[in-house]
Amino acid sequence: MTEANTADINSASLEKSPTGINGLDEITDGGLPKGRPTLIAGSAGSGKTLISMQFLAQGALKYDEPGVFVAFEENAKELTTNFASLGIDLNDLTARKKILIDYIYIDSSEIEETGEYDLEGLFIRLGSAIDSIGAKRVVLDTIEVLFAGFKNYAILRSELRRLFRYLKSKGVTAIVTGERGDNTLTRFGLEEYVADCVILLDNRMEQQIATRRMRIVKYRGSKHGTNEYPFLIEEDGISVLPITSLGLEHIATKERISSGIKRLDNMLDGKGYFRGSSILISGTAGSGKTSFAANFVDAACRRNERCVYFAFEESPSQISRNMSSIGIDFNSWINAGLLQIHSSRPMAYGLEMHLLDMRKIIDKFQPENVIIDPISNLTNVGTENDVKFMLTRLIDYLKIKGITTLSTSLMDNEADGQAGQGISSLMDTWIRLRMFEEGDERNRGLSVVKSRGMAHSNQIREYLITDQGIKLKDVYLGQTGGLLMGSIRAAEEAREKAETLVQQQENERRKRELEKRLRSLDTQIAALRSEFETDENELNRIIGEEELRREAADKGRTDMARLRKADSLLKGS
Amino acid sequence: MDEGDETVQSGTEPGENSYILRLYVAGQTRKSLAAFANLKKICEEHLQGRYKIEVVDLLEKPQLAKGDQILAIPTLVRQLPPPLKKIIGDLSNTEKVLVGLDLRPANQND
């Protein structure tokens, strides 16, 4: 054990053998410890054999590391059949000498023990198997069967210790599986021998729903995720869901697509949603969530894009019928091959199966848009955390594929901001629909709670569900500044209209009055002007006469002065 | 054990009720040598003239380990008469070997 520690320090970072299993390499920070044994413990049916076989198959196919599978429980034929359904062709792999399956059968009733023995036969078999295909990976599934076959546990335990040393000396990366014990990790304490890496698998029932989980109990010399991670057994094998390390590497486009409602697009920076983003529309019953989704689908199909509609409340024909009442014809889009509606009851099967199904449909149809209506119904299928894990995985999967996802979420009551909050962090755009009760009626209002990456409107807008889809109304503010809706808004609208009319008439009247006054002033001005001209002429005439008179007088004076030889005249000249 | 994986045979040709025994060993270890010696002694005492012992050294023929599902060494396999029987260990407990080979009850009945 101290040896292992020093080795770790010396080689700075431990060499890893990648499992190639979705997610497992992430939580183990690169894979299983290379050249060392790893223990995978779990109860019956928890997926031990599957993980082990996938480790070998991935090694053989992806990393050019042949593997030996020592089966103590199933023979090669059974294994081949079982794994064919998971896409692992063992016949092919064994024929190409990529995988060697060695079935070891032990029947204690045939065996009598007398005196000392060892398990050299097992070592020889293992050795020749490893050497025959140059194996780098070995699985022993499950070695505990030995405890049923041999009665001398003292010999067995010392031989097991020797076996793990032998595997290390062979330099193979090994997986040893073990059945879960009551108070110990494994029934026969295999964890005693495997010091490097221990992974625990679990298949728990919670609220009548089974969820598989995985936990790394220890991993000497390496950092690793410490949580319990749910994992799925899908048709291409196991995938582990570490929420923190999910692929947040999708490329965000700047392309914008319409919500199908022009004025809602206006609220969203004038352009609508981002392509490839996730949109949540939450609201209480009857708030028109499905109608919003339908408007979006309609707009997408008009752009000649494919849509998949996952309905968890209504049947395809029911949705089509209901949406035709708001002027949206789903049937024609279905016939055009642009729309698929898949309905299923959430409780029909577990969350894993739902997601698997959805992925299959998406992979096959390759849609640009996906509707989940409502996503909140899936939360009935598992505990809150599980659902969050699974939905995160689904939404990330869709984002990586660049698919725009519109989900609806049912809220129990108006005040409940909680609903959808669990998943709202996954969503890029969150539109909240609310019912406002005032003046004996219920009116619908929407607000954009958030919309990442765009300057969105923060106003609550009233909307109507009409036979031409959803229509957003103008904003009316009452005396107190509150939003007016429904008939109150209509009354306000009418009142304003009447007021405008009165105002208009008043203005007309005043205009006429003023015009009249102006006209009379004009006449007065003309009269005054002629009076002015007359007076002016008279004035000029008087001035002219005055001047003539003065000139004559001046002339008389000068003549007299000349006659009298006045000195004033001489000086002046 | 000079015989290697040779066949050790009693004087006469094995007949209808003869025993064909195969002893799997891995090299000439102390346990293997003891097992062979013990086996030979028991056969001489109880099966004289109607037994055949094959010794298989898995170090030389590892592929043979698969056929009889050999894990423990040494393992004695009774191939005939049926059913197949396996006795593991150095065969030091003669009583147990006789029971294992179905010789004890047969002798008692005689």
Side-chain angles (χ1 to χ4, degrees):
Chain A
M1 269 153 73
T2 36
E3 257 176 34
N5 277 342
T6 7
D8 291 349
I9 293 161
N10 290 343
S11 62
S13 71
L14 192 67
E15 235 190 306
K16 304 277 175 84
S17 191
T19 60
I21 296 170
N22 287 337
L24 183 57
D25 288 337
E26 284 155 37
I27 61 172
T28 53
D29 195 32
L32 303 182
K34 200 180 184 86
R36 299 174 187 208
T38 293
L39 173 67
I40 296 182
S43 47
S46 59
K48 302 185 293 290
T49 306
L50 178 56
I51 284 196
S52 311
M53 187 58 94
Q54 225 181 323
F55 172 70
L56 287 195
Q58 295 286 344
L61 293 169
K62 270 196 200 162
Y63 307 108
D64 196 28
E65 291 192 356
V68 169
F69 194 96
V70 182
F72 289 90
E73 285 176 326
E74 294 168 287
N75 64 32
K77 203 178 158 199
E78 287 164 340
L79 283 169
T80 307
T81 317
N82 293 348
F83 282 95
S85 63
L86 289 160
I88 299 175
D89 186 354
L90 287 176
N91 280 331
D92 172 62
L93 286 167
T94 46
R96 284 159 54 199
K97 293 206 180 261
K98 292 280 189 188
I99 284 185
L100 189 148
I101 299 172
D102 194 359
Y103 171 54
I104 293 182
Y105 168 79
I106 302 167
D107 184 355
S108 59
S109 66
E110 287 180 355
I111 297 173
E112 194 70 48
E113 292 183 20
T114 141
E116 274 187 53
Y117 57 91
D118 55 41
L119 296 184
E120 192 61 31
L122 176 65
F123 286 77
I124 289 170
R125 281 179 74 164
L126 201 51
S128 78
I130 290 171
D131 295 340
S132 71
I133 60 165
K136 297 271 185 285
R137 300 180 177 205
V138 169
V139 171
L140 301 171
D141 180 47
T142 162
I143 202 156
E144 283 175 337
V145 171
L146 291 176
F147 285 90
F150 299 100
K151 295 177 191 77
N152 192 332
Y153 284 10
I155 289 180
L156 206 48
R157 289 194 179 278
S158 80
E159 286 297 282
L160 279 180
R161 193 160 277 126
R162 188 159 75 95
L163 176 68
F164 288 112
R165 275 206 308 274
Y166 171 77
L167 288 171
K168 275 192 185 183
S169 75
K170 275 283 191 184
V172 292
T173 310
I175 289 182
V176 182
T177 64
E179 196 82 8
R180 186 79 196 266
D182 286 336
N183 297 312
T184 50
L185 278 179
T186 58
R187 199 176 295 163
F188 294 97
L190 288 176
E191 59 271 23
E192 245 179 80
Y193 310 107
V194 184
D196 295 299
C197 182
V198 178
I199 296 172
L200 188 63
L201 305 184
D202 187 28
N203 193 7
R204 269 208 298 277
M205 294 294 286
E206 261 168 26
Q207 296 169 13
Q208 302 170 344
I209 291 151
T211 311
R212 297 170 192 280
R213 290 187 178 82
M214 171 186 294
R215 181 162 71 94
I216 299 173
V217 180
K218 73 170 176 183
Y219 196 152
R220 180 163 293 172
S222 167
K223 64 172 180 171
H224 61 84
T226 49
N227 300 336
E228 271 194 326
Y229 300 98
F231 66 94
L232 300 176
I233 295 180
E234 300 178 328
E235 55 183 10
D236 55 348
I238 279 181
S239 50
V240 188
L241 324 170
I243 192 163
T244 48
S245 59
L246 272 170
L248 284 175
E249 282 156 14
H250 47 267
I251 296 153
T253 67
K254 283 192 178 145
E255 194 189 337
R256 302 289 280 267
I257 51 174
S258 170
S259 64
I261 303 160
K262 201 165 180 315
R263 297 184 77 166
L264 179 56
D265 291 347
N266 289 342
M267 288 179 77
L268 299 165
D269 210 9
K271 296 171 201 154
Y273 308 126
F274 277 112
R275 181 177 293 288
S277 67
S278 50
I279 301 134
L280 177 69
I281 294 181
S282 72
T284 48
S287 56
K289 299 180 294 294
T290 302
S291 304
F292 272 87
N295 267 285
F296 177 69
V297 168
D298 194 48
C301 290
R302 279 178 204 282
R303 292 192 301 267
N304 219 17
E305 291 174 8
R306 283 181 302 273
C307 296
V308 172
Y309 197 116
F310 294 105
F312 295 110
E313 272 176 349
E314 298 170 281
S315 72
S317 70
Q318 196 183 346
I319 293 175
S320 299
R321 184 201 65 196
N322 294 350
M323 290 308 111
S324 69
S325 76
I326 61 163
I328 292 169
D329 185 7
F330 271 6
N331 283 327
S332 68
W333 298 129
I334 293 170
N335 293 336
L338 290 171
L339 175 63
Q340 283 189 354
I341 303 178
H342 294 272
S343 292
S344 59
R345 281 274 169 215
M347 304 306 268
Y349 32 80
L351 195 55
E352 293 179 25
M353 278 304 293
H354 273 299
L355 293 186
L356 194 57
D357 244 32
M358 289 163 86
R359 274 180 61 166
K360 265 193 241 171
I361 290 164
I362 290 163
D363 283 342
K364 203 169 161 198
F365 192 54
Q366 296 287 335
E368 282 93 350
N369 306 284
V370 167
I371 315 295
I372 304 168
D373 181 30
I375 203 166
S376 46
N377 269 25
L378 286 175
T379 54
N380 300 336
V381 189
T383 62
E384 201 180 318
N385 261 340
D386 294 341
V387 172
K388 198 173 170 182
F389 279 138
M390 301 294 175
L391 293 181
T392 305
R393 178 144 187 90
L394 176 69
I395 283 166
D396 271 14
Y397 170 78
L398 293 167
K399 277 194 171 182
I400 287 163
K401 295 208 134 204
I403 296 171
T404 315
T405 316
L406 188 145
S407 315
T408 68
S409 174
L410 179 71
M411 296 207 289
D412 290 336
N413 59 64
E414 299 296 350
D416 189 11
Q418 294 292 315
Q421 209 164 55
I423 46 170
S424 71
S425 65
L426 301 173
M427 300 295 176
D428 297 320
T429 299
W430 181 8
I431 293 169
R432 194 165 165 204
L433 309 180
R434 277 191 285 176
M435 304 292 271
F436 294 87
E437 281 189 31
E438 205 178 340
D440 297 333
E441 56 183 32
R442 285 161 67 81
N443 295 301
R444 302 177 169 108
L446 75 81
S447 56
V448 180
V449 181
K450 70 165 180 183
S451 195
R452 288 170 181 157
M454 63 178 86
H456 61 84
S457 163
N458 61 357
Q459 196 162 35
I460 296 177
R461 298 288 296 270
E462 187 187 3
Y463 63 93
L464 299 177
I465 301 175
T466 70
D467 54 5
Q468 279 128 38
I470 287 172
K471 296 272 180 265
L472 267 65
K473 302 303 289 182
D474 293 325
V475 177
Y476 272 89
L477 297 178
Q479 302 291 324
T480 52
L483 185 72
L484 296 184
M485 293 187 154
S487 61
I488 297 179
R489 175 184 49 75
E492 176 73 15
E493 221 169 346
R495 192 181 60 76
E496 227 168 76
K497 217 176 210 170
E499 256 176 24
T500 318
L501 198 67
V502 168
Q503 191 78 42
Q504 226 167 7
Q505 285 166 347
E506 173 74 14
N507 285 349
E508 286 289 317
R509 192 184 57 75
R510 285 204 61 196
K511 212 165 98 187
R512 278 197 304 275
E513 222 166 66
L514 281 170
E515 275 169 359
K516 208 168 136 194
R517 224 177 99 96
L518 280 173
R519 271 197 305 275
S520 82
L521 278 175
D522 266 355
T523 330
Q524 282 177 20
I525 286 168
L528 280 173
R529 187 170 290 279
S530 75
E531 205 175 315
F532 176 83
E533 276 167 9
T534 319
D535 287 358
E536 196 178 37
N537 289 342
E538 180 66 20
L539 182 65
N540 288 342
R541 194 181 56 81
I542 292 169
I543 290 169
E545 278 175 12
E546 188 84 2
E547 259 176 27
L548 285 173
R549 229 189 341 263
R550 199 173 52 228
E551 267 172 37
D554 276 354
K555 199 174 179 251
R557 247 196 319 272
T558 324
D559 290 345
M560 199 176 289
R562 201 166 47 220
L563 293 173
R564 290 176 186 171
K565 293 185 176 35
D567 49 332
S568 65
L569 184 74
L570 297 171
K571 272 180 205 166
S573 55
Chain B
M1 202 162 62
D2 301 322
E3 294 87 354
D5 58 337
E6 279 167 28
T7 308
V8 180
Q9 227 169 290
S10 53
T12 52
E13 198 61 25
E16 282 287 298
N17 57 353
S18 63
Y19 279 71
I20 296 182
L21 306 171
R22 189 179 279 176
L23 182 67
Y24 286 92
V25 297
Q28 300 192 18
T29 61
R30 186 178 50 78
K31 281 183 287 239
S32 299
L33 292 171
F36 182 71
N38 288 333
L39 178 63
K40 205 165 176 195
K41 191 166 138 255
I42 292 165
C43 286
E44 278 302 316
E45 277 174 27
H46 299 273
L47 292 167
Q48 209 186 12
R50 50 193 185 101
Y51 75 92
K52 184 173 142 187
I53 302 171
E54 286 176 70
V55 179
V56 177
D57 189 344
L58 292 179
L59 289 184
E60 287 165 25
K61 294 178 176 171
Q63 70 277 12
L64 290 181
K66 213 167 174 175
D68 275 328
Q69 290 288 358
I70 303 304
L71 298 179
I73 292 292
T75 297
L76 173 65
V77 178
R78 186 186 80 174
Q79 297 203 294
L80 277 177
L84 195 91
K85 285 268 181 183
K86 281 184 195 168
I87 305 168
I88 59 173
D90 58 14
L91 309 178
S92 54
N93 186 330
T94 308
E95 280 301 301
K96 273 195 162 179
V97 177
L98 291 175
V99 173
L101 290 175
D102 284 339
L103 289 174
R104 178 55 74 214
N107 284 355
Q108 277 169 348
N109 288 349
D110 286 352

